[in-house]
């Protein structure tokens, strides 16, 4: 009876070898993968990480000689530690990536720590088992299990874990397995010291890892919150984008896909500069079209012109236009503009709408997101501006938000040059918006009045004197020749990627 | 795992426990992969075509007289019809066996998009191919000409960026061949090959003609160049000492994609033609650009059809053609009314492939029909409800190819739409040419919906592990005889020359007369045959 029991225990320990080996390799693979995801250059990342990991295992093996008594207790304790450290490693790395300078340090410390702990495991285990088997038997058994585990991990990881679970879940899962080994061991060997301490520890660890596993997705999306570092008062994923509104110290901000769209502290600068230089030069404007700008700020500015009798707002995302209309908090910011009886809101794709449109307008405001991907890039092409021309009444003009001429000089001038290549005269200008920096716009027309006809009284920033200032460009933002952005080259998004990529 | 001293029983129990832990987790999504979308197999036309094999048709109930009869309503037949009409002949009929004209340039449509059944694009044409330029201009594909006389193409028809991506070593890379990701040897060999092809682009043969051009018939017949037709592309690569697997894969992909067979069969002349003939100039596009539409070349087929609609009759299977005196008698089975009609005409334009002509022509001829090879294809239109799920590294492109897969990847049918949309249709292509065409054909005809579903999923999962969850439906087109393949020796084949010559009142228009299956050739052969018929009508 006691013989079988002993055998049972031996077997359990050998199975632990298998699990440990699998988990150990998985942690190494996770670190390597994450490092190549986040830092790029997978070959370097992988080799450095494997090297450090193996070296740390060496350290662990070396340290194992200092453990003299209570080997099984130590082994179980180490299992729990490995499980916790390995289990949370990828979450930790994801979060710490935001603080780019510390990332390498955290990455390598984690690897050294995990490697050392994993390196302790096998030597300790062999010493635990040394009296149960003869030496050659022991070495052969332990290493067989060790290498089978490694093979298992290396196959499982790319084929199942990464595609089906993702990195966060995978590390929680294997952390959990490590801790399960500890739990099973401390419920099997009931005669060891510190038993209840180990049991409680192991169960708490398992519980935490399980929670991590279940909520991995939420954790991932929480990391967005961390990036913004502000209180989120509203967040929603529409079919088109992730909308986040934050509020901190009385300042409200809107982020679409984590890009800042406005800050209530200074959005008036941006929106006054967007609307007034152009609209004030139209004689008695009556019909205005706004493409994009679902937050209603441009509408608010246009409503300041008494002659304007109808505004059409075309924005893709009904989720944006509806919160800016319905929420008291947000519609206070745009002075309830989206509820104006003079406004008609259409939620559809602007390009398609424009292609089908047959009406004309006295002024068109084009306020799209920056050209950071191909679908938005289409809205900055010659083909798009040709469609815009069809919607212009005689003597009408339009304005396009055109990213920052300081941060993305080529992109800015590319927008200008593309509009010019479509047969318009242009007037590029810029303004300083504290939360964005230097920002640019391009006005386009066939003829432009030299002076404004009418400027609304209540403006906080714009007046005729600003115009001259805004339309002169200092040397570091001065004109540059560029290629023309077309549907079949989308050169603008390449410029944009290059320029903003450098900044970020 | 049953080594000595090892207790199986316990090992199993322990493992079951561990496995139980894994199973208890709620979100192991791989345990419930959804692939319950509907799959259908299209192909009523091939069923009608197979009536030819049984060859049991009723006696003709009536006789119809026309000056010229066109058999087959693919691009070549439609182009011939258009030419006849343009040149003042209106007393002709075009008979097509399918429910609509178009042939390999047919298309379909569902709630999400239009999509092609086969042909997807037309490269920027040779600006000196006047008939083609005129046609495109008449239908506003060309909107005008710039001050240098170069055509200005409609912007919405020139393939948008991003055009191509390759799933290579686990990542999507931009471009095909990819702009990044290749190792130095691969880049070097590719550059060497492209340099050679660039040389051919400029090269003039001993007969003072361009070495490679479109129409293909106007290319040089310089004996030096003709030597290329005597070898396969695989042999050429061997001879020129190309070593890297990448270039072999890439050229094999190109040959299958454009010629419907692998480098092991394709004539090296044809492969070089593919790379060296594209020198078309345009005001707002490059020679490497392509024109494309959601419905692919069905857009062009419809434009051709619009000019000759009243002369076209569908669901008309021509099953026998014979010469009687100066006249031609064509026997036609009216599929809908299940009766036969005899057409009597001065001339016949056969715009049907040679594997059909072989069966329907009662005529002594020197043509060796067996020289014409057609490998089978499947083309599947896959409706996806979450287009974004296909991004990754590089956004979804027009053409999306998987390295080392035996498929030809997929084209995004909605690529040319300017508006943001969540859904899309992917046109997936697979060419079967590893074994003989006959064996491949037998095999693919025996497969059912479920087989194709798994076949396609397995391939696409390498790049999109979760794709099954995003599929709404799949429509598979099984093409038993896809397109004519320009196998080694095709360019110098006497049979092709014979077909091009025609036979006092009987003329051949199908693209396989020229040996390569592309829109331009079908269009060109249609015009050639129409010109021959018009001349012969005058003589008669
Ligand atoms: C999968 C695939 C992809 C392709 N992609 C492209 C591409 O992207 N670009 C390109 O330029 N080309 C492409 N092609 C080539 C395409 O075949 C040509 O562009 C062109 O459509 C060929 O036209 P055709 O008239 O020569 O032949 P077909 O299209 O073969 O026309 C023959 C017609 O004859 C009819 N017919 C047959 N037998 C009878 C009968 N007995 N009685 C009456 N009618 C009959 C058929 O139904 C058919 O309509 C592709 C081909 C395939 C198979």
């Amino acid at each position: 009876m006691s013989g079988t029991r002993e055998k049972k225990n031996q077997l359990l320990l050998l199975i632990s070898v298998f699990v440990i080996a699998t988990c150990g390799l998985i942690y190494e693979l996770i670190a390597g993968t994450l490092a190549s995801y986040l830092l790029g250059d997978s070959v370097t990342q992988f080799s450095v990480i494997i090297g450090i990991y193996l070296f740390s295992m060496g350290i662990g093996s070396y340290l194992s000689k200092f453990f003299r008594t209570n080997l099984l207790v130590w082994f179980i304790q180490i299992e729990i530690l490995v499980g916790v450290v390995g289990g949370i490693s990828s979450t930790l790395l994801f979060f710490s990536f935001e603080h780019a300078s510390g990332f390498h340090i955290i990455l390598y410390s984690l690897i050294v720590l995990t490697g050392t702990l994993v390196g302790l495991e096998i030597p300790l285990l062999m010493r635990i088992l040394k009296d149960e088997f003869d030496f050659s038997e022991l070495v052969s058994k332990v290493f067989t299990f060790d290498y089978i585990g490694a093979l298992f991990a290396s196959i499982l990881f790319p084929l199942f874990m990464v595609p089906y679970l993702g990195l966060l879940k995978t590390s929680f899962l294997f952390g959990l397995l490590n801790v399960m080994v500890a739990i099973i061991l401390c419920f099997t060997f009931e005669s060891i010291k510190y038993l209840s301490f180990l049991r409680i520890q192991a169960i708490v660890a398992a519980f935490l890892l399980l929670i991590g596993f279940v909520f991995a997705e939420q954790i991932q999306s929480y990391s967005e919150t961390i990036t913004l570092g502000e209180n989120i008062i509203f967040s929603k994923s529409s079919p088109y984008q992730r909308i986040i509104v934050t509020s901190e110290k009385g300042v409200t901000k809107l982020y679409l896909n984590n890009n800042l769209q406005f800050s209530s502290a200074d959005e008036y600068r941006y929106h006054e500069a967007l609307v007034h230089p152009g609209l004030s030069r139209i004689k008695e404007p009556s019909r205005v079209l706004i493409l994009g700008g679902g937050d209603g700020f441009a509408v608010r500015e246009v409503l300041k012109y008494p002659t304007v009798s109808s505004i059409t707002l075309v924005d893709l995302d009904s989720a944006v236009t509806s919160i800016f209309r319905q929420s008291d908090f947000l519609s206070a910011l745009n002075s309830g503009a989206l509820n104006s009886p003079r406004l008609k809101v259409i939620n559809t794709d602007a390009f398609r709408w424009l292609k089908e449109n047959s009406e004309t307008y006295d002024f068109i405001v084009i306020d799209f997101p920056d050209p950071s991907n191909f679908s938005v890039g289409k809205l900055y092409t010659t083909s798009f501006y040709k469609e815009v021309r069809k919607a212009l009444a005689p003597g009408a003009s339009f304005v396009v938000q055109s990213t920052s001429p300081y941060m993305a000089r080529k992109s800015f001038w590319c927008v200008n040059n593309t509009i010019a290549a479509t047969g318009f005269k242009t007037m590029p200008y810029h303004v300083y918006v504290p939360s964005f920096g230097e920002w640019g716009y391009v006005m386009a027309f066939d003829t432009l009045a030299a002076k404004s006809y009418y400027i609304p009284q209540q403006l906080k920033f714009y007046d005729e004197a600003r115009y001259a200032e805004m339309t002169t460009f200092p040397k570091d933002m001065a004109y540059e020749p560029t290629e023309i952005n077309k549907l079949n080259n989308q050169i603008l998004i390449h410029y944009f990627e290059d320029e903003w990529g450098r900044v970020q | 795992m049953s080594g000595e001293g090892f207790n199986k029983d316990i090992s199993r129990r322990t493992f079951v426990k561990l496995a139980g832990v894994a199973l208890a987790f709620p979100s192991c999504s791989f345990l419930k992969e959804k692939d319950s979308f509907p799959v259908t197999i299209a192909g009523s036309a091939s069923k009608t075509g197979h009536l030819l094999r049984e060859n049991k048709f009723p006696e003709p109930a009536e006789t119809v007289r026309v000056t010229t009869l066109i058999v087959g309503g693919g691009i070549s037949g439609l182009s011939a019809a258009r030419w006849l009409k343009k040149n003042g002949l209106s007393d002709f009929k075009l008979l097509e066996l399918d429910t609509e004209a178009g042939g390999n340039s047919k298309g379909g449509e569902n709630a999400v998009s239009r999509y092609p059944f086969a042909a997807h694009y037309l490269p920027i044409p040779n600006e000196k191919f006047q008939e083609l330029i005129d046609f495109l201009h008449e239908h506003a594909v060309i909107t005008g000409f710039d001050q240098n006389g170069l055509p200005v193409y409609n912007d919405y028809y020139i393939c948008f960026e991003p055009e191509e991506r390759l799933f290579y070593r686990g990542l999507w890379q931009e471009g095909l061949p990819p702009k990044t990701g290749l190792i130095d040897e691969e880049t070097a060999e590719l550059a060497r090959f492209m340099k050679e092809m660039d040389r051919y682009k400029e090269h003039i043969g001993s007969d003072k003609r361009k070495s490679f051009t479109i129409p293909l018939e106007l290319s040089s017949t310089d004996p030096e160049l003709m030597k290329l037709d005597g070898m396969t592309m695989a042999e050429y690569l061997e001879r020129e000492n190309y070593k890297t697997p990448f270039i072999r894969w890439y050229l094999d992909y190109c040959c299958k994609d454009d010629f419907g067979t692998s480098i092991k069969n394709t004539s090296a002349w044809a492969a070089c033609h593919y790379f060296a003939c594209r020198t078309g100039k345009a005001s707002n596009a490059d020679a490497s650009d392509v024109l494309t539409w959601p419905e692919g070349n069905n857009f062009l087929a419809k434009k051709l059809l619009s000019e000759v609609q009243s002369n076209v009759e569908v669901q008309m299977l021509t099953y026998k053609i014979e010469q009687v005196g100066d006249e031609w008698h064509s026997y036609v089975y009216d599929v809908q009314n299940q009766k036969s009609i005899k057409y009597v005409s001065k001339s016949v334009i056969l715009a049907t492939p040679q594997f059909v002509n072989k069966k329907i022509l009662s005529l002594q001829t020197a043509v060796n029909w067996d020289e014409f090879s057609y490998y089978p294809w499947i083309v599947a239109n896959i409706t996806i409800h979450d287009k974004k799920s296909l991004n990754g590294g590089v956004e979804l492109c027009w053409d999306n190819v998987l390295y080392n897969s035996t498929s030809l990847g997929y084209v995004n049918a909605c690529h040319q739409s300017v508006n943001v949309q969540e859904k899309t249709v992917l046109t997936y292509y697979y060419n079967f040419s590893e074994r003989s065409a006959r064996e491949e054909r037998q095999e693919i005809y025996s497969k059912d919906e479920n087989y194709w579903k798994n076949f396609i999923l397995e391939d696409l999962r390498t790049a999109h592990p979760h794709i099954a969850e995003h599929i709404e439906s799949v429509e598979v087109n099984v093409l038993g005889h896809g397109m004519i393949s320009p196998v080694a020796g095709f360019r110098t084949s006497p049979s092709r020359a014979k077909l091009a010559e025609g036979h006092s009142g009987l003329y051949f228009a199908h693209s396989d007369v020229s040996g390569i299956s592309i829109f331009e050739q079908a269009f060109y052969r249609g015009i050639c045959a129409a010109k021959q018929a018009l001349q012969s009508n005058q003589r008669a």
Side-chain angles (χ1 to χ4, degrees):
Chain A
M1 188 65 211
S2 85
T4 43
R5 191 178 174 85
E6 214 144 82
K7 274 211 164 146
K8 215 167 152 181
N9 294 345
Q10 288 166 11
L11 183 73
L12 210 58
L13 289 167
L14 286 176
I15 288 171
S16 322
V17 176
F18 174 77
V19 176
I20 290 168
T22 314
C23 295
L25 194 65
I26 293 269
Y27 301 140
E28 181 184 335
L29 290 172
I30 287 174
T33 313
L34 252 176
S36 7
Y37 274 8
L38 299 176
L39 301 174
D41 190 2
S42 46
V43 176
T44 315
Q45 297 307 336
F46 258 102
S47 12
V48 170
I49 281 167
I50 290 174
I52 296 184
Y53 191 83
L54 288 178
F55 176 69
S56 312
M57 281 177 69
I59 299 180
S61 307
Y62 171 77
L63 292 178
S64 69
K65 74 172 181 187
F66 299 107
F67 294 82
R68 296 190 193 279
T69 52
N70 294 329
L71 292 181
L72 195 53
V73 173
W74 278 116
F75 179 70
I76 294 176
Q77 178 63 64
I78 284 167
E79 275 321 279
I80 299 174
L81 280 176
V82 176
V84 171
V85 174
I88 62 168
S89 59
S90 59
T91 310
L92 217 63
L93 287 173
F94 254 118
F95 278 93
S96 58
F97 183 64
E98 317 299 347
H99 315 284
S101 61
F103 181 74
H104 286 86
I105 300 172
I106 298 178
L107 173 71
Y108 296 127
S109 328
L110 264 178
I111 290 167
V112 171
L113 186 60
T114 324
T116 311
L117 289 171
V118 170
L120 276 167
E121 291 174 325
I122 300 286
L124 283 183
L125 207 84
M126 285 180 72
R127 282 167 53 204
I128 294 171
L129 291 168
K130 75 171 189 305
D131 301 329
E132 322 265 337
F133 298 96
D134 76 56
F135 187 66
S136 56
E137 178 81 355
L138 177 66
V139 172
S140 128
K141 279 228 164 77
V142 167
F143 284 105
T144 308
F145 276 87
D146 188 19
Y147 289 123
I148 293 176
L151 174 69
F152 188 61
S154 58
I155 292 175
L156 210 60
F157 184 72
L159 294 186
F160 277 101
M161 294 307 161
V162 177
Y164 293 109
L165 288 183
L167 288 174
L168 294 196
K169 282 202 165 174
T170 304
S171 35
F172 281 120
L173 179 64
F174 282 87
L176 204 55
L177 285 183
N178 257 152
V179 175
M180 289 305 280
V181 168
I183 292 184
I184 291 170
L185 291 181
C186 63
F187 280 88
T188 311
F189 297 90
E190 293 179 335
S191 53
I192 55 173
K193 282 192 187 165
Y194 311 109
L195 191 62
S196 47
F197 171 67
L198 286 177
R199 282 183 178 176
I200 293 174
Q201 216 192 91
I203 288 172
V204 170
F207 182 69
L208 291 178
L209 290 170
L210 188 64
I211 291 190
F213 181 84
V214 174
F215 292 100
E217 258 127 55
Q218 282 83 338
I219 293 176
Q220 195 127 29
S221 66
Y222 181 71
S223 70
E224 279 174 344
T225 324
I226 302 271
T227 333
L228 305 176
E230 293 155 16
N231 286 333
I232 295 187
I233 56 168
F234 174 86
S235 84
K236 179 174 179 170
S237 288
S238 80
Y240 309 107
Q241 53 205 345
R242 186 154 175 79
I243 307 164
I244 294 178
V245 180
T246 68
S247 179
E248 189 114 328
K249 303 196 188 98
V251 176
T252 308
K253 294 183 183 173
L254 169 70
Y255 295 86
L256 297 179
N257 293 336
N258 283 352
N259 291 320
L260 178 63
Q261 303 300 304
F262 74 77
S263 157
S264 62
D266 55 16
E267 59 73 23
Y268 66 91
R269 274 195 169 216
Y270 176 91
H271 291 104
E272 287 185 9
L274 174 67
V275 171
H276 302 299
L279 188 52
S280 66
R281 280 174 170 68
I282 303 286
K283 193 171 181 199
E284 295 177 2
S286 105
R287 296 164 50 78
V288 174
L289 172 66
I290 300 173
L291 303 175
D295 52 27
F297 292 111
V299 180
R300 180 192 65 200
E301 295 307 313
V302 174
L303 284 169
K304 293 176 181 167
Y305 291 74
T307 57
V308 170
S309 59
S310 91
I311 305 173
T312 306
L313 172 74
V314 181
D315 191 292
L316 180 62
D317 200 345
S318 62
V320 174
T321 49
S322 64
I323 57 157
F324 277 91
R325 185 171 55 232
Q326 285 157 9
S327 144
D328 289 342
F329 183 77
L330 295 174
S331 70
L333 294 176
N334 61 33
S335 315
L338 294 182
N339 291 309
S340 164
R342 289 192 270 167
L343 175 71
K344 187 163 111 200
V345 176
I346 298 169
N347 290 118
T348 186
D349 182 86
F351 206 141
R352 177 211 195 128
W353 182 85
L354 211 49
K355 274 184 92 173
E356 287 161 9
N357 162 64
S358 55
E359 315 238 328
T360 59
Y361 300 87
D362 302 320
F363 188 64
I364 302 178
V365 178
I366 301 178
D367 189 12
F368 293 132
D370 285 345
S372 59
N373 62 47
F374 289 103
S375 351
V376 185
K378 287 177 189 171
L379 304 169
Y380 290 85
T381 55
T382 48
S383 304
F384 183 79
Y385 298 125
K386 281 184 204 161
E387 302 293 344
V388 171
R389 177 174 280 285
K390 292 189 211 150
L392 291 173
S397 63
F398 68 95
V399 64
V400 179
Q401 93 78 4
S402 316
T403 191
S404 168
Y406 176 73
M407 306 285 239
R409 183 165 158 191
K410 263 210 134 91
S411 309
F412 175 79
W413 290 106
C414 175
V415 176
N416 178 75
N417 299 347
T418 301
I419 297 175
T422 322
F424 291 99
K425 296 192 184 106
T426 63
M427 176 60 84
Y429 61 92
H430 64 100
V431 69
Y432 181 70
V433 182
S435 53
F436 287 155
E438 215 39 80
W439 212 256
Y441 310 81
V442 177
M443 205 160 43
F445 44 83
D446 291 325
T447 52
L448 185 71
K451 268 181 54 206
S452 348
Y453 291 100
Y454 170 83
I455 295 185
Q457 291 302 302
Q458 327 80 314
L459 304 188
K460 293 198 227 168
F461 168 73
Y462 184 74
D463 55 33
E464 194 66 11
R466 295 286 79 70
Y467 186 74
E469 187 184 299
M470 284 159 67
T471 50
T472 45
F473 282 79
K475 269 195 271 180
D476 60 355
M477 306 193 280
Y479 178 82
E480 276 203 56
T482 64
E483 284 189 55
I484 304 304
N485 191 41
K486 299 182 201 162
L487 284 172
N488 66 339
N489 68 10
Q490 291 250 22
I491 192 72
L492 177 59
I493 78 161
H494 295 292
Y495 288 146
F496 188 82
E497 238 165 49
D498 279 357
E499 293 176 318
W500 282 97
R502 236 181 297 144
V503 180
Q504 276 159 359
Chain B
M1 281 213 154
S2 53
E4 7 116 37
F6 207 97
N7 188 324
K8 280 194 223 160
D9 217 49
I10 292 182
S11 87
R12 202 177 305 134
R13 232 183 290 151
T14 317
F15 269 105
V16 168
K17 254 191 239 162
L18 287 179
V21 173
L23 286 173
F25 295 130
S27 49
C28 296
S29 60
F30 59 92
L31 296 174
K32 44 173 187 199
E33 176 88 283
K34 284 173 261 162
D35 57 0
S36 51
F37 48 84
V39 180
T40 49
I41 296 185
S44 61
S46 64
K47 250 180 246 152
T48 315
H50 289 163
L51 291 175
L52 278 181
R53 252 191 249 154
E54 294 159 30
N55 202 14
K56 281 188 219 130
F57 297 101
E59 282 297 307
E62 57 180 305
T63 302
V64 179
R65 285 189 166 271
V66 289
T67 308
T68 301
L69 184 71
I70 303 174
V71 181
I75 297 299
S76 59
L78 291 168
S79 165
R82 169 176 175 273
W83 197 259
L84 293 183
K85 197 151 221 177
K86 268 197 162 334
N87 289 279
L89 181 70
S90 50
D91 180 33
F92 70 90
K93 276 267 179 269
L94 183 155
L95 306 180
E96 163 60 47
L97 75 83
D98 206 345
T99 50
E100 59 180 292
N104 277 339
S105 300
K106 249 177 44 166
E109 183 169 13
N110 64 16
V112 175
S113 178
R114 281 183 244 170
Y115 47 80
F117 283 154
H120 222 313
Y121 70 98
L122 170 67
I124 293 297
N126 176 356
E127 77 286 359
K128 301 203 180 78
F129 189 168
Q130 197 56 47
E131 294 89 342
L132 181 55
I133 297 292
D134 289 345
F135 164 68
L136 296 174
H137 191 204
E138 284 158 25
H139 292 280
V141 173
I142 291 174
T143 54
F145 296 87
D146 68 8
Q147 63 274 30
N148 303 318
L150 290 178
V152 180
Y153 286 91
N154 184 324
D155 287 333
Y156 295 113
Y157 304 157
I158 306 172
C159 184
F160 299 169
E161 271 291 292
E163 198 168 326
E164 287 156 329
R165 62 175 180 172
L166 178 68
F167 193 71
Y168 185 60
R169 304 199 168 133
L171 288 177
W172 284 107
Q173 309 275 0
E174 202 185 328
L176 181 59
K179 292 179 190 153
T180 50
L182 296 187
I183 57 170
D184 292 351
E185 285 88 341
E186 294 169 334
T187 313
E189 281 203 337
L190 208 58
R192 172 155 74 93
F193 180 78
M194 291 305 174
K195 201 170 153 209
E196 180 66 2
M197 294 303 120
D198 284 344
R199 189 178 70 82
Y200 277 147
K201 279 184 189 166
E202 310 296 325
H203 192 260
I204 305 289
S206 54
D207 49 5
K208 301 274 179 300
R209 290 201 202 165
K210 279 190 77 173
S211 298
F212 297 97
T213 192
I214 290 183
L216 167 152
E217 289 78 352
L218 307 184
S219 306
S220 166
T221 51
D222 184 333
E224 264 315 298
L225 293 166
M226 287 302 102
K227 279 187 194 156
L228 288 170
D229 190 42
M231 65 181 102
T232 66
M233 192 55 186
E235 286 160 359
Y236 172 88
L237 291 177
E238 196 69 31
R239 191 189 77 175
E240 299 294 318
N241 209 15
Y242 287 99
K243 293 262 187 288
T244 59
F246 183 83
I247 199 163
R248 286 185 70 86
W249 170 83
Y250 175 60
L251 295 174
D252 198 51
Y253 161 81
C254 293
C255 286
K256 283 182 166 175
D257 198 43
D258 271 63
F259 300 139
T261 192
S262 67
I263 47 173
K264 284 184 283 182
N265 301 323
T266 305
S267 151
W269 189 90
C272 293
H273 183 263
Y274 169 84
F275 285 100
C277 72
R278 304 267 177 235
T279 53
K281 293 197 178 69
S283 175
N284 57 342
D286 297 332
S288 59
D289 277 316
V290 303
L291 303 166
T292 186
W293 303 266
E295 67 273 44
N297 289 2
N298 189 233
F299 177 90
L300 298 170
K302 288 260 164 70
K303 296 292 180 200
L304 285 170
L305 182 63
S306 69
E307 296 187 40
V308 294
Q309 186 82 60
S310 58
N311 299 74
V312 173
E313 290 192 21
V314 295
Q315 293 199 283
M316 294 288 180
L317 170 71
T318 305
Y319 61 86
K320 191 168 109 184
I321 297 177
E322 60 187 10
Q323 190 171 25
V324 179
D326 287 348
E327 290 179 332
W328 290 88
H329 291 188
S330 308
Y331 295 84
V332 177
Y333 180 63
D334 177 339
V335 180
Q336 243 182 338
N337 300 311
Q338 302 187 353
K339 61 171 192 186
S340 295
I341 306 166
K342 181 161 102 182
Y343 276 87
V344 177
S345 59
K346 281 192 200 168
S347 54
V348 170
I349 295 175
L350 268 181
T352 38
Q354 307 318 319
F355 68 87
V356 171
N357 296 349
K358 163 174 139 183
K359 294 194 189 121
I360 64 179
L361 265 184
S362 311
L363 191 76
Q364 289 296 337
T365 142
V367 174
N368 175 9
W369 306 108
D370 297 331
E371 271 180 32
F372 296 83
S373 7
Y374 308 80
Y375 291 88
W377 286 69
I378 62 158
V379 179
N381 280 291
I382 306 169
T383 305
I384 298 280
H385 50 62
D386 182 11
K387 188 171 85 172
K388 274 201 242 108
S389 67
L390 302 166
N391 293 344
V394 180
E395 273 181 60
L396 176 62
C397 289
W398 175 66
D399 193 11
N400 306 269
V401 180
L402 315 177
Y403 179 65
N404 264 350
S405 153
T406 44
S407 79
L408 300 172
Y410 58 86
V411 170
N412 174 20
C414 298
H415 187 75
Q416 296 300 102
S417 94
V418 286
N419 47 295
V420 174
Q421 52 187 56
E422 280 173 76
K423 299 186 176 186
T424 194
V425 174
L426 308 178
T427 311
Y428 173 88
Y429 291 89
Y430 201 105
N431 166 248
F432 297 86
S433 56
E434 286 310 314
R435 294 173 295 165
S436 80
R438 176 186 292 270
E439 283 170 289
E440 297 280 15
R441 208 152 27 237
Q442 262 166 5
E443 168 114 12
I444 67 160
Y445 277 142
S446 69
K447 303 300 187 198
D448 65 0
E449 286 85 352
N450 210 33
Y451 175 86
W452 292 124
K453 174 200 270 185
N454 293 327
F455 183 90
I456 296 167
L457 279 182
E458 195 182 317
D459 182 34
L460 292 181
R461 273 190 183 130
T462 49
H464 307 294
H466 296 294
I467 193 158
E469 289 170 25
H470 304 291
I471 297 181
E472 214 165 82
S473 62
V474 177
E475 183 184 327
V476 184
N477 247 308
V478 178
L479 308 170
H481 298 80
M483 57 165 86
I484 182 72
S485 290
V487 296
F490 88 104
R491 174 88 171 105
T492 37
S493 137
S495 293
R496 280 188 42 244
K498 193 91 208 130
L499 288 176
E501 228 169 71
H503 190 288
S504 66
L506 176 72
Y507 303 101
F508 297 88
H510 195 268
S511 52
D512 60 14
V513 176
S514 63
I516 66 177
S517 189
I518 53 176
F519 179 88
E520 300 96 306
Q521 289 300 144
F523 182 83
Y524 176 74
R525 293 305 333 170
I527 294 174
C528 294
K531 285 183 180 162
Q532 290 172 312
L534 285 170
Q535 247 181 20
S536 134
N537 292 347
Q538 251 162 23
R539 275 199 303 271

